[in-house]
Amino acid sequence: SNPPPGLEASRRAMALSVSVIQAFVGALLMLHSMISMHQFKTYIKSTQSTESTPIDIILECFIGMGLCIAVIISRSGKFMTIKSAPYAARLSYDSLNYRPHFRIFNHRAVNCKEC
């Protein structure tokens, strides 16, 4: 019932190559949408028209960004929880709220005699 050891390594290599291809396609889509947007802005300046951005450029940019984000999330590994509650339970409220950089001793009211 267990797969052979070489099969697991080949599956990982295949998943890595698919994610590299997916990231490359996403980056190419974003690069192409950037070039298309530059050409469109140049066209708008030369004709002095007030057209809005074409939907195909916007969709291409979002699809490329979605592919890149999907690769980053899928290759990042298992997410771990942040466990700060046991550490914070040992501290007092005064030590949790201690921020020495926000203490101001020489402010304008020091020189105010009527205050």
Side-chain angles (χ1 to χ4, degrees):
S1 120
N2 290 337
L7 183 62
E8 186 63 32
S10 66
R11 284 183 184 167
R12 278 193 306 249
M14 171 97 70
L16 180 63
S17 65
V18 168
S19 64
V20 167
I21 292 170
Q22 185 180 358
F24 185 71
V25 168
L28 277 179
L29 282 173
M30 289 177 56
L31 179 68
H32 185 264
S33 67
M34 179 184 68
I35 293 169
S36 298
M37 189 63 173
H38 177 70
Q39 288 176 348
F40 177 72
K41 291 289 185 180
T42 305
Y43 168 75
I44 291 295
K45 284 183 184 177
S46 67
T47 60
Q48 296 179 350
S49 63
T50 57
E51 296 179 36
S52 63
T53 305
I55 193 71
D56 62 333
I57 295 175
I58 296 170
L59 285 176
E60 186 177 19
C61 182
F62 280 124
I63 290 170
M65 185 175 59
L67 284 172
C68 289
I69 289 173
V71 168
I72 290 169
I73 291 174
S74 69
R75 299 305 302 170
S76 65
K78 184 180 175 185
F79 289 114
M80 298 177 67
T81 59
I82 300 173
K83 298 178 182 176
S84 63
Y87 170 73
R90 293 183 303 206
L91 301 175
S92 67
Y93 180 74
D94 291 332
S95 65
L96 285 174
N97 200 23
Y98 180 65
R99 294 175 289 191
H101 299 292
F102 289 107
R103 296 182 185 227
I104 301 172
F105 295 107
N106 296 323
H107 52 80
R108 291 185 290 195
V110 171
N111 297 324
C112 183
K113 302 284 186 210
E114 298 97 28
C115 300

